[in-house]
Amino acid sequence: MKESKITVRSQRRRKRSRQKRQAWSVALLLFLLVLMADFGAGFLVGSSWQKSTGKEVYPENGALYTDGDYGAWENMAYDAQGNVMQFDDWQDSTAQNDDGQDDTAWNLILVNDKNRVPEGYAVNLVDAGDGERVDERIYAPLMEMLEDARESNWNQLPRVVSGYRTTEKQQKLYDDKIAEYRKQGYPDEEAEELAGQWVALPGHSEHELGLAVDINGATYDVYLWLQTNSYKYGFIFRYPGNKTELTGVAEEVWHYRYVGVEAATEIYEQGICLEEYVENLEV
Ligand SMILES: [Zn+2]
């Protein structure tokens, strides 16, 4: 009797410590994933993830390409209503991106693998810390959100590790990837195809809008907080795992996109993604 009690107890203890170990491993793994993505080593993890999902895991890569040349992209104009000007040359990559896009409110511009950043897209950038920049219209709600998230983050302020990227930077990232595959001996066409699986095509990354940020929270709790609170500040959890089919991107807990409080609230409450929200608007 005594013996069996001890056995049960020690089994429980073992089970508990096993669970604890597993929880820590998961937490550590998630943290490493975020770090690797931020520092441009996403392909290391991506290759194994891709095997299981068949989807791009880190299409945008990290902060390596965020510094430097902003020049011509700064100080461009938008009209009195806050809409970005020069929409005439909107370039469609597919027939899906057609009617009425010229009237799209700046905060609802859809950019994904099928919809590209409008030609001549204009944005005023402001410093968001650590050399990262964002559209000035999202700066205040972004800072407010990060400040409020601090409490659920062991009192550490979450950081923006990737904000605005120029199309040139995205192009360089893409070209570098093709070169990498060519070096490995892949023929041109195949190298291009493989690169496209890892890096969002130039013109197809939301970061080129200045309305999206990658956030490094250091703890996983901050991501949970953001998932349930970001809508109050106008931001959405842009790539939830259950919407990969529609967004074309596997879950990215660190990537947040500004769409405004009204849209964000609806997206959050209905459990839909931006693709679905925009489609509903058009109906
Ligand atoms: Zn991102």
Side-chain angles (χ1 to χ4, degrees):
M1 191 64 189
K2 207 175 174 189
E3 253 181 32
S4 76
K5 251 189 191 167
I6 289 169
T7 314
V8 168
R9 225 180 284 148
S10 80
Q11 275 174 348
R12 271 198 207 132
R13 240 199 321 270
R14 272 206 297 275
K15 196 175 169 200
R16 263 204 304 276
S17 80
R18 194 166 60 234
Q19 283 169 341
K20 237 186 225 169
R21 271 202 307 276
Q22 281 169 347
W24 273 108
S25 315
V26 170
L28 187 65
L29 184 67
L30 286 165
F31 180 57
L32 283 175
L33 284 174
V34 173
L35 271 187
M36 293 174 95
D38 290 341
F39 290 99
F43 64 93
L44 288 175
V45 193
S47 59
S48 60
W49 276 30
Q50 198 199 24
K51 271 181 206 130
S52 59
T53 62
K55 292 281 174 187
E56 174 48 88
V57 180
Y58 296 104
E60 306 162 307
N61 225 316
L64 281 178
Y65 293 90
T66 57
D67 57 325
D69 176 27
Y70 296 94
W73 292 79
E74 290 181 354
N75 303 318
M76 286 180 164
Y78 44 91
D79 67 23
Q81 284 78 46
N83 295 312
V84 177
M85 290 165 74
Q86 304 163 24
F87 268 86
D88 328 31
D89 294 327
W90 189 291
Q91 274 193 351
D92 294 352
S93 58
T94 71
Q96 289 185 31
N97 186 14
D98 46 21
D99 52 15
Q101 287 281 20
D102 288 3
D103 302 324
T104 307
W106 64 271
N107 52 310
L108 294 178
I109 295 172
L110 183 64
V111 169
N112 55 23
D113 50 357
K114 299 185 186 75
N115 297 275
R116 56 176 299 133
V117 174
E119 192 71 17
Y121 178 75
V123 58
N124 272 335
L125 297 165
V126 291
D127 197 343
D130 292 329
E132 296 304 321
R133 298 182 186 200
V134 295
D135 186 310
E136 66 175 9
R137 294 166 290 188
I138 76 166
Y139 179 78
L142 174 65
M143 290 304 137
E144 202 186 335
M145 178 172 79
L146 296 182
E147 188 61 52
D148 289 351
R150 184 205 284 262
E151 241 174 88
S152 65
N153 200 36
W154 297 69
N155 208 30
Q156 294 179 76
L157 188 69
R159 289 168 37 234
V160 172
V161 291
S162 189
Y164 174 74
R165 293 176 202 157
T166 64
T167 301
E168 288 82 355
K169 288 229 150 65
Q170 197 71 27
Q171 181 76 53
K172 183 179 180 336
L173 190 59
Y174 182 66
D175 293 345
D176 287 352
K177 204 69 183 167
I178 293 175
E180 202 179 301
Y181 279 113
R182 280 212 193 104
K183 221 165 136 188
Q184 287 174 33
Y186 287 97
D188 288 3
E189 209 175 303
E190 211 173 322
E192 213 167 292
E193 204 184 306
L194 284 164
Q197 288 174 14
W198 297 120
V199 182
L201 290 172
H204 290 267
S205 168
E206 246 187 9
H207 284 277
E208 292 168 54
L209 292 175
L211 302 174
V213 287
D214 292 343
I215 295 167
N216 188 335
T219 71
Y220 200 74
D221 282 351
V222 79
Y223 296 122
L224 299 178
W225 186 92
L226 287 168
Q227 281 173 27
T228 47
N229 292 282
S230 67
Y231 74 94
K232 299 169 192 166
Y233 307 85
F235 286 86
I236 55 167
F237 174 34
R238 179 70 175 90
Y239 304 122
N242 62 348
K243 296 292 179 187
T244 297
E245 288 296 322
L246 295 167
T247 61
V249 179
E251 179 152 295
E252 285 192 4
V253 292
W254 52 86
H255 182 108
Y256 275 80
R257 157 73 194 266
Y258 185 84
V259 293
V261 174
E262 191 188 331
T265 305
E266 214 165 306
I267 286 168
Y268 173 75
E269 285 175 352
Q270 293 180 26
I272 56 177
C273 62
L274 186 56
E275 278 76 5
E276 292 171 296
Y277 181 80
V278 169
E279 202 183 306
N280 291 346
L281 285 182
E282 285 167 5
V283 172

